[in-house]
mmCIF file of all heavy atoms in Angstrom:
data_model
loop_
_atom_site.group_PDB
_atom_site.id
_atom_site.type_symbol
_atom_site.label_atom_id
_atom_site.label_comp_id
_atom_site.label_asym_id
_atom_site.label_seq_id
_atom_site.Cartn_x
_atom_site.Cartn_y
_atom_site.Cartn_z
ATOM 1 N N ILE A 17 -48.359 -43.699 62.055
ATOM 2 C CA ILE A 17 -47.602 -43.700 63.310
ATOM 3 C C ILE A 17 -48.528 -43.323 64.463
ATOM 4 O O ILE A 17 -49.452 -42.523 64.300
ATOM 5 C CB ILE A 17 -46.411 -42.721 63.250
ATOM 6 C CG1 ILE A 17 -46.890 -41.282 62.996
ATOM 7 C CG2 ILE A 17 -45.421 -43.149 62.183
ATOM 8 C CD1 ILE A 17 -45.791 -40.247 63.064
ATOM 9 N N GLU A 41 -58.721 -35.132 77.366
ATOM 10 C CA GLU A 41 -59.986 -35.054 76.617
ATOM 11 C C GLU A 41 -59.995 -33.853 75.685
ATOM 12 O O GLU A 41 -60.484 -33.931 74.544
ATOM 13 C CB GLU A 41 -61.176 -34.985 77.577
ATOM 14 C CG GLU A 41 -61.459 -36.269 78.321
ATOM 15 C CD GLU A 41 -60.387 -36.620 79.352
ATOM 16 O OE1 GLU A 41 -59.718 -35.677 79.870
ATOM 17 O OE2 GLU A 41 -60.213 -37.814 79.636
ATOM 18 N N ASP A 64 -49.919 -17.542 75.742
ATOM 19 C CA ASP A 64 -49.766 -16.171 75.265
ATOM 20 C C ASP A 64 -48.666 -16.086 74.207
ATOM 21 O O ASP A 64 -47.622 -15.471 74.398
ATOM 22 C CB ASP A 64 -49.447 -15.250 76.446
ATOM 23 C CG ASP A 64 -49.483 -13.779 76.052
ATOM 24 O OD1 ASP A 64 -50.078 -13.456 75.001
ATOM 25 O OD2 ASP A 64 -48.897 -12.949 76.790
ATOM 26 N N GLN A 67 -50.010 -17.657 66.862
ATOM 27 C CA GLN A 67 -50.288 -19.002 66.364
ATOM 28 C C GLN A 67 -49.061 -19.658 65.741
ATOM 29 O O GLN A 67 -48.803 -20.841 65.958
ATOM 30 C CB GLN A 67 -51.438 -18.950 65.353
ATOM 31 C CG GLN A 67 -52.789 -18.629 65.979
ATOM 32 C CD GLN A 67 -53.878 -18.510 64.930
ATOM 33 O OE1 GLN A 67 -53.674 -17.904 63.874
ATOM 34 N NE2 GLN A 67 -55.038 -19.076 65.210
ATOM 35 N N SER A 80 -38.771 -33.894 67.748
ATOM 36 C CA SER A 80 -37.648 -34.416 68.530
ATOM 37 C C SER A 80 -37.934 -35.827 69.017
ATOM 38 O O SER A 80 -37.029 -36.661 69.096
ATOM 39 C CB SER A 80 -37.350 -33.495 69.714
ATOM 40 O OG SER A 80 -38.392 -33.536 70.680
ATOM 41 N N MET A 99 -48.121 -51.698 47.860
ATOM 42 C CA MET A 99 -48.541 -50.784 46.797
ATOM 43 C C MET A 99 -47.397 -50.482 45.847
ATOM 44 O O MET A 99 -47.551 -50.512 44.613
ATOM 45 C CB MET A 99 -49.101 -49.505 47.410
ATOM 46 C CG MET A 99 -50.442 -49.706 48.084
ATOM 47 S SD MET A 99 -51.252 -48.142 48.464
ATOM 48 C CE MET A 99 -52.877 -48.763 48.946
ATOM 49 N N LEU A 108 -48.196 -39.024 51.067
ATOM 50 C CA LEU A 108 -48.436 -38.766 52.481
ATOM 51 C C LEU A 108 -49.267 -37.501 52.562
ATOM 52 O O LEU A 108 -48.906 -36.469 51.986
ATOM 53 C CB LEU A 108 -47.100 -38.584 53.202
ATOM 54 C CG LEU A 108 -47.128 -38.460 54.723
ATOM 55 C CD1 LEU A 108 -47.699 -39.713 55.369
ATOM 56 C CD2 LEU A 108 -45.712 -38.178 55.248
ATOM 57 N N GLU A 127 -36.924 -47.642 56.018
ATOM 58 C CA GLU A 127 -37.463 -48.948 56.396
ATOM 59 C C GLU A 127 -37.682 -49.833 55.166
ATOM 60 O O GLU A 127 -37.427 -51.038 55.199
ATOM 61 C CB GLU A 127 -38.799 -48.767 57.127
ATOM 62 C CG GLU A 127 -38.697 -48.160 58.512
ATOM 63 C CD GLU A 127 -38.432 -49.192 59.584
ATOM 64 O OE1 GLU A 127 -38.672 -50.390 59.331
ATOM 65 O OE2 GLU A 127 -37.994 -48.797 60.676
ATOM 66 N N ARG A 130 -36.469 -47.961 49.746
ATOM 67 C CA ARG A 130 -36.836 -47.270 48.513
ATOM 68 C C ARG A 130 -37.666 -46.045 48.888
ATOM 69 O O ARG A 130 -38.108 -45.909 50.027
ATOM 70 C CB ARG A 130 -37.654 -48.197 47.597
ATOM 71 C CG ARG A 130 -38.969 -48.663 48.213
ATOM 72 C CD ARG A 130 -39.625 -49.774 47.425
ATOM 73 N NE ARG A 130 -39.959 -49.376 46.073
ATOM 74 C CZ ARG A 130 -40.582 -50.167 45.213
ATOM 75 N NH1 ARG A 130 -40.916 -51.407 45.556
ATOM 76 N NH2 ARG A 130 -40.871 -49.749 43.996
ATOM 77 N N LEU A 159 -49.974 -36.660 42.108
ATOM 78 C CA LEU A 159 -49.657 -37.999 41.612
ATOM 79 C C LEU A 159 -50.144 -38.211 40.187
ATOM 80 O O LEU A 159 -49.765 -39.199 39.537
ATOM 81 C CB LEU A 159 -50.292 -39.058 42.518
ATOM 82 C CG LEU A 159 -49.728 -39.190 43.937
ATOM 83 C CD1 LEU A 159 -50.527 -40.213 44.722
ATOM 84 C CD2 LEU A 159 -48.250 -39.561 43.917
ATOM 85 N N ASP A 162 -56.819 -39.896 39.281
ATOM 86 C CA ASP A 162 -58.194 -39.525 39.604
ATOM 87 C C ASP A 162 -58.450 -39.898 41.056
ATOM 88 O O ASP A 162 -58.373 -41.073 41.426
ATOM 89 C CB ASP A 162 -59.156 -40.278 38.685
ATOM 90 C CG ASP A 162 -60.610 -39.959 38.961
ATOM 91 O OD1 ASP A 162 -60.911 -39.185 39.895
ATOM 92 O OD2 ASP A 162 -61.470 -40.507 38.239
ATOM 93 N N SER A 182 -63.454 -35.869 49.331
ATOM 94 C CA SER A 182 -62.628 -35.727 48.128
ATOM 95 C C SER A 182 -63.050 -36.708 47.044
ATOM 96 O O SER A 182 -62.747 -36.508 45.871
ATOM 97 C CB SER A 182 -61.153 -35.967 48.461
ATOM 98 O OG SER A 182 -60.871 -37.351 48.627
ATOM 99 N N LEU A 185 -61.920 -43.633 48.012
ATOM 100 C CA LEU A 185 -62.377 -44.741 48.840
ATOM 101 C C LEU A 185 -61.723 -44.554 50.201
ATOM 102 O O LEU A 185 -60.493 -44.542 50.306
ATOM 103 C CB LEU A 185 -61.948 -46.078 48.232
ATOM 104 C CG LEU A 185 -62.208 -47.325 49.097
ATOM 105 C CD1 LEU A 185 -63.704 -47.582 49.236
ATOM 106 C CD2 LEU A 185 -61.502 -48.537 48.493
ATOM 107 N N ILE A 189 -59.345 -46.159 60.150
ATOM 108 C CA ILE A 189 -58.622 -47.026 61.070
ATOM 109 C C ILE A 189 -58.548 -46.297 62.406
ATOM 110 O O ILE A 189 -57.506 -45.749 62.788
ATOM 111 C CB ILE A 189 -57.213 -47.360 60.545
ATOM 112 C CG1 ILE A 189 -57.288 -47.845 59.095
ATOM 113 C CG2 ILE A 189 -56.548 -48.430 61.404
ATOM 114 C CD1 ILE A 189 -55.941 -48.120 58.468
#
Side-chain angles (χ1 to χ4, degrees):
I17 60 174
E41 289 69 27
D64 189 18
Q67 290 177 317
S80 69
M99 289 193 170
L108 187 61
E127 290 274 341
R130 61 191 299 182
L159 292 176
D162 180 358
S182 76
L185 172 68
I189 310 177

